[in-house]
Amino acid sequence: MSHRILADKRRLHQVLADLDRLERGEFSAPCLMAETTLDNWRFDFRKVSCLRGVVEGHPFFLDGQIIHSSEIFAFLEDDGERFARTLSRWYRLGHRHTPAHEYRP
């Protein structure tokens, strides 16, 4: 049990450090372009707000797999690109999910 708490604590420290850097304007699209991509994404809910989408370049999931992210902590839009910081990592956001009944060409 304590190992899980320590792991989560380390993650939270990294999230807080990233949020501080985000406030100071230290993140931009060029520095986040190599992050894991989440395509066909949408907001979803678990016990916390998360993202759901098709993953690409994730260290643990296969490309093309539909995943739920960990809890969302921040968003960044820069140079026409969108990014989300979750508990576990940054995601570069691809196309947003559009339900069939909402599709507008």
Side-chain angles (χ1 to χ4, degrees):
M1 186 69 145
S2 63
H3 179 72
R4 179 167 163 50
I5 292 169
L6 292 174
D8 289 345
K9 192 173 179 181
R10 281 192 299 272
R11 280 180 166 184
L12 288 172
H13 281 292
Q14 185 59 53
V15 170
L16 289 173
D18 281 352
L19 293 177
D20 287 341
R21 291 179 63 202
L22 184 61
E23 281 184 336
R24 291 191 302 266
E26 295 178 17
F27 284 112
S28 64
C31 75
L32 294 171
M33 290 303 290
E35 296 296 337
T36 301
T37 300
L38 192 60
D39 204 12
N40 196 27
W41 66 274
R42 62 182 166 189
F43 290 100
D44 208 346
F45 296 93
R46 302 182 323 173
K47 291 182 182 179
V48 295
S49 296
C50 65
L51 295 169
R52 177 181 187 268
V54 179
V55 74
E56 180 182 322
H58 195 285
F60 305 120
F61 298 106
L62 297 174
D63 288 354
Q65 191 172 352
I66 296 173
I67 67 161
H68 284 87
S69 73
S70 53
E71 184 175 2
I72 302 167
F73 284 89
F75 284 96
L76 171 67
E77 289 190 38
D78 184 60
D79 288 342
E81 299 287 341
R82 292 177 294 191
F83 304 90
R85 180 56 163 108
T86 68
L87 178 61
S88 47
R89 72 187 67 261
W90 280 98
Y91 285 95
R92 181 169 57 93
L93 300 177
H95 299 285
R96 189 167 182 171
H97 173 77
T98 305
H101 67 281
E102 292 181 17
Y103 178 73
R104 294 181 209 127

